[in-house]
Amino acid sequence: MVTVLEIYQLLPKTNCKICGESTCMAFSVSLLGRKRKISECTPILEVNFKKQKEKLEALLLPSAGAEETGMIVHPELCTGCGNCVVACPVDVANDPKGAAIGCAPTNDKVIFRVVDGKVVASNIKECRRFGKNRVLCYACIDPCPTGAIEFV
Amino acid sequence: MSTCPGCALLCDDIEVVVESGRIKETRNACRRGAARIKGCINRLAPTIDQKPSDIESAIKKAAGILKDSKSPMLFGFSNSTCEAQVKGIQLAKKLGAMIDDTSSFCQGLLIEKILQKKFRTCTLEDVRNKADVLVYWGSDAQDSQPRHLSRFSYFPRGESRQRGYEEDRIAIAIDVRESNTAKICKGHFYRIQPKGDREFILALIDALSGKVPAYEPKKILELAAILKKAEFGVIFVGIGLTYSIKEDFDILVSLADKLPNFQIMPMVGHYNMRGFNENLFKETGFVNRVRFHDTAVHDDKYSIIEALREKSIDALLVAGSDPLSSLTRSLIRHLASIPVICIDPCVTMTSKIAAVTIPCAVSGVESGGTAVRMDGKKIGLSKIIESDYLTDEELLVRLMGAL
Ligand code: SF4
Ligand code: SF4
Ligand code: SF4
Ligand code: SF4
């Protein structure tokens, strides 16, 4: 998991405010939360920061394909076992006669479903990690034996 | 909804999208199941002596081999429907042949005891609705029956297990390595030495009888306490356990006797291995290793391994199995020296050395039928797509006709 400090170390650390944040540290927090893009710090685009910028991009790459909640599913790791489908509290609440009791999902309101042997996520906005009353839910990560689900 | 023939969990909630006669997408099937439903990469073709042929000639040739044989064996059937298995057993009877299947070096021993009612057992629906303590012993369900934990055993809510797995169920793994299943059983993983199952069982029996076990007393007593509290416990017996205690299998019966609230369930790989065991049991009273003379005789020497070691067979018909891929080299030598007839949808290692190959439909995909789930429940298989291939059942009937 990438930390704010790791990001901060790679920024120009001049607190020039060009990015619109009051400090580089504040910008690091926004970068980690995917609220901002690296290119919004124009100073780091200059040649003398080339190496740092590349490092920063590599650091943030895994989260580039993530959903708004930060969820990434690695299809190559997924065995399609369905543990996440049945364990996700949103799926349980939205499909009590299907996913909740281990059966195939019976409606479109679930987050996880298995297609062609691999999990696909939809309705991500329903995820408990998202929205006003968010909680740090691990119910899909913990039951996954292969580490195919990740939040960044 | 279709049934997946990928393993003996026989998931019957699979949706398949078919487009112009081909399978385009599968839903709800795990990766293994999806691959199985999508069919084989290399389709088997009819051959005689490795040369292209046609089905009719191949059947005729196969019948000739079986007629000439003094001591033929029929092997396989764990990936065949019950209907085909019954025909296979009839064929063996007609030929006075030996008949055996993969359960002979897998879970046969356990299934036999279950059919003889030596153990209490239950259905997977019972597990979902009632089970509170689950023991995966010598079994990596997560790998071999990928949807076992999600469909039935651990994750789903059930009638008397409404609060979900975190509060209502305890999953325990006993294994020689930290398998994917063991990873899910965090905090309740008991690692044992290879072949250490016997020692572990004896220690557990001691602990359950109020004695201090000789072996790892602290851990064993802690485990015994969890097991004693179970309202409805299940031990899922994997091949790892069955194999390791095969010389002294009754200690598992003794353990089950000490755990009156527990059920025993075999973990079966091939989708209809249990079906074969049940069908042969119905016919002969044995689950494998049978030779038909005037009556059916059961003996260890009628297992494929012993028969190859003793070179006591002179022809082998293999249906829906690939013994070549799992036998040791010394046994393969005899296998390679006798005529092999291979009935399978796909090219396998065995088909590559076979004197006659006869392709069949993929059961559960190109043909329907019935199969027996690992818990003994009969499940219907559906035909998902049309194909020109004959089923293994039809092929066996034709073969009988050609004799
Ligand atoms: S623009 Fe870059 S250097 Fe300036 S404050 Fe923002 S992060 Fe720091
Ligand atoms: S974090 Fe929780 S709510 Fe969000 S998808 Fe995973 S299990 Fe569902
Ligand atoms: S739990 Fe993991 S491996 Fe299983 S379906 Fe979900 S993402 Fe795939
Ligand atoms: S668990 Fe077994 S039966 Fe179920 S979908 Fe996977 S391979 Fe098929």
Side-chain angles (χ1 to χ4, degrees):
Chain A
M1 192 82 185
V2 186
T3 64
V4 176
L5 210 63
E6 278 175 281
I7 299 177
Y8 174 74
Q9 298 294 359
L10 294 167
L11 288 173
K13 291 188 271 198
T14 57
N15 298 334
C16 72
K17 300 189 175 61
I18 295 176
C19 58
E21 300 279 355
S22 52
T23 59
C24 294
M25 190 53 107
F27 186 71
S28 311
V29 174
S30 300
L31 265 187
L32 189 64
R34 273 179 312 274
K35 292 198 191 78
R36 288 183 176 277
K37 294 194 188 83
I38 299 174
S39 59
E40 289 178 76
C41 164
T42 43
I44 205 176
L45 303 178
E46 284 163 25
V47 251
N48 45 340
F49 285 116
K50 192 165 175 268
K51 275 231 170 76
Q52 276 169 254
K53 177 176 159 265
E54 280 165 5
K55 273 196 190 151
L56 193 56
E57 280 168 347
L59 199 63
L60 293 172
L61 186 67
S63 65
E67 303 286 344
E68 274 170 281
T69 48
M71 184 200 291
I72 299 181
V73 180
H74 299 283
E76 72 287 0
L77 295 178
C78 175
T79 63
C81 69
N83 293 354
C84 56
V85 180
V86 181
C88 167
V90 174
D91 289 5
V92 171
N94 287 354
D95 190 16
K97 294 238 148 49
I101 56 166
C103 301
T106 61
N107 63 46
D108 289 333
K109 288 186 278 178
V110 293
I111 292 186
F112 296 110
R113 51 179 66 245
V114 177
V115 177
D116 280 337
K118 284 169 200 146
V119 92
V120 289
S122 42
N123 305 318
I124 305 276
K125 288 223 160 97
E126 297 263 319
C127 171
R128 305 239 154 136
R129 287 180 170 236
F130 196 69
K132 255 205 334 274
N133 304 316
R134 60 176 157 259
V135 289
L136 207 53
C137 175
Y138 285 95
C140 53
I141 301 172
D142 281 347
C144 179
T146 61
I149 299 176
E150 201 184 0
F151 283 87
V152 290
Chain B
M1 291 291 173
S2 307
T3 302
C4 172
C7 76
L9 210 56
L10 292 167
C11 295
D12 49 5
D13 60 353
I14 312 299
E15 281 174 60
V16 184
V17 183
V18 178
E19 228 179 64
S20 41
R22 298 182 70 115
I23 290 166
K24 194 169 157 253
E25 188 178 283
T26 65
R27 297 189 191 137
N28 310 321
C30 70
R31 183 152 85 189
R32 167 201 289 252
R36 173 87 188 196
I37 293 168
K38 288 205 168 160
C40 32
I41 303 163
N42 286 317
R43 198 79 203 219
L44 191 63
T47 61
I48 295 175
D49 297 327
Q50 325 277 323
K51 288 184 207 74
S53 181
D54 57 87
I55 302 276
E56 281 316 316
S57 321
I59 290 175
K60 218 181 268 164
K61 175 79 184 173
I65 290 174
L66 292 174
K67 246 192 263 175
D68 291 344
S69 160
K70 287 196 187 61
S71 180
M73 173 181 270
L74 273 55
F75 179 83
F77 304 103
S78 42
N79 287 310
S80 306
T81 59
C82 288
E83 292 77 4
Q85 292 170 346
V86 169
K87 292 287 182 302
I89 295 167
Q90 274 175 19
L91 177 62
K93 225 173 160 178
K94 190 165 174 174
L95 290 166
M98 296 175 209
I99 187 162
D100 192 29
D101 83 320
T102 38
S103 75
S104 180
F105 43 88
C106 179
Q107 293 279 53
L109 196 54
L110 173 63
I111 292 176
E112 184 167 20
K113 300 269 179 206
I114 286 178
L115 296 180
Q116 291 166 345
K117 306 207 187 318
K118 294 263 167 71
F119 291 112
R120 272 175 312 280
T121 189
C122 63
T123 66
L124 284 163
E125 280 76 12
D126 291 333
V127 175
R128 175 196 284 155
N129 287 328
K130 302 186 218 163
D132 58 345
V133 177
L134 317 153
V135 183
Y136 304 91
W137 198 329
S139 139
D140 186 6
Q142 197 58 45
D143 223 52
S144 310
Q145 296 86 7
R147 292 182 68 200
H148 193 279
L149 278 79
S150 73
R151 268 189 86 206
F152 294 110
S153 55
Y154 186 45
F155 293 106
R157 278 146 213 262
E159 275 159 23
S160 14
R161 303 289 157 218
Q162 287 291 336
R163 286 174 304 168
Y165 63 99
E166 307 96 319
E167 288 176 56
D168 271 355
R169 300 196 210 256
I170 299 175
I172 296 163
I174 304 172
D175 212 334
V176 294
R177 64 185 182 97
E178 190 178 2
S179 64
N180 276 337
T181 308
K183 277 187 206 152
I184 291 173
C185 302
K186 274 178 218 118
H188 295 292
F189 168 47
Y190 297 85
R191 190 192 291 273
I192 50 172
Q193 294 303 313
K195 291 257 168 196
D197 301 79
R198 190 186 138 82
E199 204 178 9
F200 198 91
I201 292 178
L202 294 175
L204 200 50
I205 292 177
D206 276 349
L208 290 165
S209 322
K211 289 186 227 153
V212 178
Y215 163 89
E216 298 217 31
K218 192 165 163 274
K219 282 181 88 179
I220 300 272
L221 286 169
E222 166 204 284
L223 176 62
I226 301 174
L227 300 186
K228 267 189 190 162
K229 269 194 234 135
E231 286 171 19
F232 190 104
V234 189
I235 300 179
F236 299 106
V237 180
I239 179 170
L241 174 56
T242 305
Y243 220 69
S244 131
I245 59 165
K246 64 177 190 299
E247 320 291 335
D248 189 9
F249 204 71
D250 284 338
I251 55 170
L252 189 61
V253 180
S254 311
L255 176 65
D257 286 343
K258 287 271 172 221
L259 291 166
N261 291 344
F262 269 77
Q263 315 285 321
I264 299 286
M265 187 173 296
M267 297 297 267
V268 181
H270 296 301
Y271 88 79
N272 202 19
M273 194 185 87
R274 178 154 179 172
F276 178 81
N277 291 149
E278 293 200 357
N279 284 316
L280 193 62
F281 188 81
K282 221 184 287 161
E283 180 74 34
T284 67
F286 308 105
V287 297
N288 52 30
R289 308 179 179 191
V290 164
R291 172 160 206 168
F292 288 99
H293 284 293
D294 301 330
T295 56
V297 186
H298 172 80
D299 198 305
D300 285 352
K301 68 179 185 217
Y302 302 143
S303 79
I304 190 167
I305 294 185
E306 284 308 313
L308 287 174
R309 185 174 295 144
E310 291 176 13
K311 303 190 170 54
S312 62
I313 48 172
D314 59 2
L316 178 70
L317 180 144
V318 178
S321 185
D322 190 13
L324 200 67
S325 66
S326 50
L327 294 176
T328 57
R329 193 182 297 183
S330 58
L331 297 176
I332 288 171
R333 216 170 294 142
H334 184 61
L335 183 71
S337 71
I338 57 172
V340 174
I341 302 156
C342 181
I343 302 178
D344 206 287
C346 314
V347 172
T348 63
M349 295 206 9
T350 308
S351 78
K352 285 188 183 156
I353 60 137
V356 181
T357 62
I358 314 175
C360 65
V362 182
S363 55
V365 179
E366 296 168 341
S367 66
T370 1
V372 181
R373 205 167 64 179
M374 56 198 286
D375 59 345
K377 188 176 171 187
K378 278 213 165 65
I379 306 279
L381 298 173
S382 39
K383 178 178 189 161
I384 302 171
I385 49 169
E386 293 293 331
S387 94
D388 295 333
Y389 290 96
L390 294 171
T391 65
D392 42 3
E393 183 193 354
E394 289 164 326
L395 288 171
L396 288 165
V397 171
R398 287 211 192 181
L399 194 51
M400 257 187 279
L403 280 170

